Amino acid sequence: MSTVIEVTDVTKTYRKSEALRGVTLALQPDRIYGLLGRNGAGKTTLMSILTAQGFASSGEVRVFGEHPYENERVLNRICFIRESQKYPDSFTAEHAFKSAALFFANWSQELADRLVTDFQLPLRRNIKKLSRGQLSAVGVIIGLASRAELTFFDEPYLGLDAVARQLFYDRLVEDYSRHPRTVVLSSHLIDEVANLLEHVIVIDQGRIIMDDDAETIRGSAFTVVGSAEKVRTFLGGREVVHSDNFASLASVTALGTLNESETREAAELGLELAPVSLQQLIVRKTMSASPASSGAADRPLSEVAR
Amino acid sequence: MLIDNGRPIFLQIAERIESDIIDGTLAEESQVPSTNEFAAFYRINPATAAKGVNRLVDDRILYKQRGIGMFVSTGARAVLMQRRREEFFDQYVQPLAREARKLGIEPDELADMIRQGEHAIQGGTQ
Amino acid sequence: MNRVVKVMRMQLANRWIFIGIPLIILAASFLLTLIIWSFIPNDGGVRISGGSQAVMWYFFALGIQSLTLTFPFSQGLSITRRTFFLGTLSLFSLIALITAVTYWLLGLVEQGTGGWGVGGSFFALDWIADGPWYQPIAFYFAVMMALFLIGFWSATIYKRWQATGLLIVGISVALALVGTLYVIGSRNAWPEVGAFLGSQTQLAVAGWFAVLALAPCRRFVPHPASGRALVGSAVKWNRPRHAESVPLPTLLHRIP
């Protein structure tokens, strides 16, 4: 199978800041990718460049083997509805869907109709008068019903309540099962989307800090809690990504897996072991990977940490 | 939460199917839901669900019939029971003994307690 | 179906915008003019109304909107900039042509009915309606296209360089105008200019409008192949490899 997206050493510099720094990626077909990271980490910038809506300052971009810029052969197969997607003021949701149906070869009106019912979206109301959540629903519906070979969802849930978000995740899994395609889902609500992802890409301050199968990452770290001294003995030379101390107790997150005898040893030392979720690990990593971000310490965790 | 976020999901899916086979929910030679059905039910990536199911196919707990679906192999239950019994000591007995020692419960006392627990369960099920 | 045609259909998804509203504006401004004419006593002279330009200004606004709102939407649907530009321009040309022909036809009616029976002049304005049939059509067409494209380009410049860019361009245009006036005045050339303007035919004026409208496409923004943009080389642009063949104004290439 051929690679869908190939990015080599892409940087994006705005006047004062670097939005992307040396990003190199390869995305395989028919997988659901999670593009995770904090707000402002560079997720939208990267997706804009991949869809030729934005431009890289340097580096190579190949989508379906070609440069996407002004390239109809490539763009025909892509759908990218932005988080803050603009629609013509005069449009209703119905106009937007009719337009989308013109341009996406695999458009499923049946799916669109069903999603409209699911999200209880008023079709004939002027788009300017829709709530933030309803506006997001319009984008989600276009993204799903387009069935584009390469679909980007950029934080698609803004203003959607928990029920509507779950609906989106369910429909995504369901339709993807029947019509496999490459999906890139950008999000900072990691726990919510973690189980949907086959592959995880974590971006932090414009750099890719994680690029691996979700299942590999899930088993790749553990947390030990117990007396600080015993924890230290137990961990030995393992790579620690995070540690918390409280009186004589320590809670340490370390990389690696534990075999049976190590698990037994921990139990005998009276240490507690806990698995580390994708979200916890990403939070730990994005915090440890950004020592330069001491300025961001006043907002240390944002939503990600919770 | 149906799925525990910290462990590989494919392992959890495999374990769930195993448990269903052991307690008889999935009888031998009965059809197992498709990976897409697993994916939709547990709200997980279909590839992950497939990985869990394939692990059991590789173990010959399940077998595939082309174009029809997947089924529980004959003898699967016995194999799984044997495997779980082997794990029982590590997973349950050792932690139990350790906790008992911490609380000063003597081995004889512990054995008595286990017998009582067994009675309670039998009483509860009758 | 051709994607350029699809862009036209997308723009027409809400038919009111390009068809319904212009018709209403035209009908309303015409009715209003008739009512006003009926109020003022008829002294036998010709009564001229500028009401027919109302629709044209509406197209100026449409030019702005089609870039600020419809363009970002078209990007969400993965439409190339070239296709979007060609589709929008085609639709616009079509509508401008229909409007121009309508104006010409209504102008004929106006002349045939003695100015709607009240000596009014709404469509067949003096000078514009003089001469062969194609002259007023070309004139109206060119004016509408100019207004639409000026709206479109202003919005483009605004999107690319924000208010500063628009200000710089605006000031530059104003300076150029003032400079021209100064040169004419300092050389006492007004009589010649007057003679020149007087000698212009409708067709020639239409031509001037066309130059004005298309200037951003060709002249004052170079072709993308040159790799340089309007306000200069301050911003470097990495020209995509296959863009050489793209016959599209640089400005549109550069909108992020």
Side-chain angles (χ1 to χ4, degrees):
Chain A
M1 282 199 287
S2 55
T3 308
V4 173
I5 295 177
E6 250 183 300
V7 177
T8 317
D9 203 21
V10 159
T11 60
K12 171 72 180 179
T13 333
Y14 290 112
R15 215 162 284 169
K16 279 175 192 152
S17 59
E18 281 185 296
L20 295 176
R21 316 175 193 207
V23 169
T24 297
L25 286 172
L27 272 64
Q28 306 306 318
D30 299 344
R31 293 191 186 171
I32 301 182
Y33 283 84
L35 183 57
L36 311 178
R38 298 173 57 173
N39 290 328
K43 303 188 295 275
T44 304
T45 307
L46 179 58
M47 289 189 288
S48 297
I49 291 171
L50 293 175
T51 52
Q53 293 190 22
F55 316 108
S57 305
S58 70
E60 280 283 313
V61 175
R62 284 278 173 278
V63 181
F64 295 115
E66 298 180 50
H67 196 289
Y69 187 71
E70 285 296 274
N71 191 335
E72 221 143 65
R73 282 188 304 277
V74 173
L75 292 178
N76 275 349
R77 301 157 77 178
I78 299 180
C79 177
F80 173 35
I81 298 294
R82 286 163 173 268
E83 172 209 336
S84 53
Q85 180 63 49
K86 282 187 191 163
Y87 300 92
D89 274 354
S90 57
F91 268 30
T92 61
E94 194 169 32
H95 292 138
F97 297 148
K98 274 187 181 156
S99 303
L102 286 170
F103 289 95
F104 294 113
N106 302 334
W107 177 265
S108 164
Q109 191 57 44
E110 195 192 338
L111 179 60
D113 291 342
R114 187 168 155 224
L115 291 165
V116 166
T117 316
D118 284 345
F119 285 110
Q120 299 170 3
L121 185 70
L123 271 179
R124 302 258 160 93
R125 193 179 297 167
N126 189 297
I127 234 153
K128 276 191 298 185
K129 292 183 182 142
L130 295 183
S131 70
R132 182 59 246 194
Q134 289 169 327
L135 206 58
S136 293
V138 174
V140 161
I141 293 173
I142 293 180
L144 284 173
S146 76
R147 285 191 183 153
E149 271 177 81
L150 174 56
T151 309
F152 293 86
F153 289 103
D154 181 13
E155 312 249 359
Y157 39 66
L158 216 71
L160 292 179
D161 59 28
V163 177
R165 292 203 300 273
Q166 194 57 62
L167 203 61
F168 165 58
Y169 304 139
D170 287 354
R171 293 292 177 264
L172 174 63
V173 168
E174 197 181 300
D175 202 60
Y176 167 84
S177 307
R178 280 181 215 144
H179 304 273
R181 54 218 199 236
T182 309
V183 174
V184 178
L185 177 59
S186 116
S187 178
H188 64 258
L189 301 178
I190 302 171
D191 262 348
E192 277 194 10
V193 301
N195 294 353
L196 309 179
L197 309 175
E198 183 170 349
H199 196 100
V200 172
I201 296 164
V202 180
I203 186 166
D204 189 48
Q205 298 187 13
R207 285 203 179 84
I208 303 294
I209 60 164
M210 232 190 260
D211 177 7
D212 218 334
D213 273 348
E215 291 287 74
T216 312
I217 296 176
R218 254 187 281 273
S220 71
F222 59 90
T223 298
V224 206
V225 185
S227 98
E229 215 187 295
K230 284 180 180 168
V231 168
R232 208 175 308 128
T233 321
F234 176 71
L235 288 175
R238 280 179 193 276
E239 189 182 340
V240 171
V241 283
H242 182 81
S243 74
D244 273 329
N245 288 290
F246 174 71
S248 66
L249 285 178
S251 164
V252 178
T253 303
L255 294 183
T257 47
L258 296 173
N259 59 29
E260 265 174 53
S261 72
E262 285 166 328
T263 311
R264 205 174 298 142
E265 185 196 336
E268 275 157 14
L269 285 169
L271 299 175
E272 276 178 56
L273 292 175
V276 178
S277 76
L278 207 61
Q279 170 154 318
Q280 287 165 333
L281 185 60
I282 290 170
V283 170
R284 300 303 186 215
K285 281 223 168 172
T286 49
M287 285 169 74
S288 64
S290 48
S293 71
S294 53
D298 46 319
R299 47 182 176 95
L301 297 181
S302 77
E303 305 95 305
V304 181
R306 301 175 54 83
Chain B
M1 195 83 184
L2 284 165
I3 296 287
D4 161 12
N5 255 322
R7 290 193 312 134
I9 293 172
F10 78 95
L11 285 179
Q12 301 182 53
I13 294 295
E15 282 165 15
R16 267 161 207 279
I17 299 173
E18 285 175 3
S19 295
D20 283 349
I21 295 173
I22 288 171
D23 68 19
T25 312
L26 281 172
E28 289 180 358
E29 294 305 324
S30 71
Q31 189 167 5
V32 178
S34 72
T35 52
N36 285 348
E37 284 167 325
F38 274 116
F41 184 75
Y42 291 113
R43 295 173 162 148
I44 56 171
N45 188 292
T48 313
K51 198 174 169 191
V53 170
N54 287 336
R55 187 184 163 88
L56 296 181
V57 173
D58 291 345
D59 273 5
R60 306 218 176 143
I61 301 297
L62 305 179
Y63 67 92
K64 280 182 181 168
Q65 252 187 338
R66 203 173 271 277
I68 305 175
M70 265 166 320
F71 298 84
V72 181
S73 309
T74 304
R77 186 161 182 266
V79 173
L80 290 172
M81 293 272 272
Q82 182 55 37
R83 207 183 286 165
R84 287 273 168 110
R85 289 177 87 112
E86 283 161 16
E87 291 166 0
F88 185 74
F89 185 77
D90 270 356
Q91 274 191 356
Y92 298 95
V93 180
Q94 277 206 334
L96 185 74
R98 208 174 285 124
E99 186 70 11
R101 194 202 293 162
K102 212 194 272 178
L103 299 175
I105 299 170
E106 295 297 319
D108 285 347
E109 216 178 333
L110 182 61
D112 275 346
M113 287 166 98
I114 290 173
R115 253 174 244 116
Q116 277 171 32
E118 181 65 21
H119 279 302
I121 291 171
Q122 276 180 0
T125 53
Q126 274 164 7
Chain C
M1 200 193 334
N2 186 317
R3 280 173 84 88
V4 172
V5 178
K6 286 181 184 174
V7 169
M8 296 170 75
R9 287 188 55 189
M10 176 188 76
Q11 294 276 20
L12 288 175
N14 184 347
R15 302 229 151 80
W16 272 102
I17 298 307
F18 274 94
I19 298 171
I21 295 178
L23 279 176
I24 287 177
I25 293 179
L26 181 60
S29 61
F30 182 58
L31 280 177
L32 213 65
T33 306
L34 280 184
I35 291 168
I36 293 169
W37 280 340
S38 73
F39 283 148
I40 38 179
N42 193 345
D43 57 6
V46 178
R47 298 193 260 201
I48 299 166
S49 165
S52 57
Q53 49 172 304
V55 174
M56 304 187 179
W57 289 107
Y58 173 73
F59 281 108
F60 174 70
L62 270 187
I64 296 175
Q65 162 156 1
S66 68
L67 193 92
T68 52
L69 294 165
T70 316
F71 176 68
F73 179 60
S74 79
Q75 295 240 292
L77 303 183
S78 300
I79 300 165
T80 63
R81 289 145 204 264
R82 176 183 47 228
T83 309
F84 173 77
F85 181 68
L86 290 179
T88 306
L89 198 67
S90 306
L91 175 66
F92 219 82
S93 309
L94 191 69
I95 287 173
L97 190 66
I98 293 172
T99 314
V101 171
T102 310
Y103 270 38
W104 170 67
L105 287 173
L106 288 172
L108 289 183
V109 175
E110 189 170 286
Q111 287 167 329
T113 56
W116 311 103
V118 292
S121 180
F122 190 91
F123 297 104
L125 298 172
D126 258 0
W127 181 74
I128 295 174
D130 295 343
W133 61 273
Y134 55 84
Q135 287 208 4
I137 293 180
F139 178 82
Y140 283 125
F141 179 75
V143 171
M144 289 194 46
M145 291 306 285
L147 281 173
F148 170 76
L149 283 169
I150 289 168
F152 191 84
W153 294 128
S154 311
T156 308
I157 291 168
Y158 179 80
K159 252 189 92 81
R160 180 65 185 80
W161 291 284
Q162 316 296 306
T164 325
L166 207 53
L167 205 65
I168 290 172
V169 173
I171 291 172
S172 311
V173 170
L175 280 178
L177 279 176
V178 170
T180 314
L181 294 181
Y182 174 77
V183 170
I184 295 171
S186 66
R187 295 189 181 177
N188 287 318
W190 281 115
E192 284 93 330
V193 173
F196 171 75
L197 289 177
S199 70
Q200 296 298 298
T201 63
Q202 303 90 313
L203 220 49
V205 176
W208 287 114
F209 273 117
V211 169
L212 189 67
L214 296 175
C217 302
R218 284 285 160 107
R219 206 167 303 165
F220 82 84
V221 177
H223 193 269
S226 75
R228 302 234 159 188
L230 178 59
V231 186
S233 39
V235 196
K236 263 188 267 162
W237 178 43
N238 297 309
R239 180 160 47 90
R241 246 166 240 150
H242 64 276
E244 281 86 342
S245 57
V246 181
L248 180 70
T250 315
L251 272 179
L252 217 55
H253 277 288
R254 313 226 12 186
I255 304 171

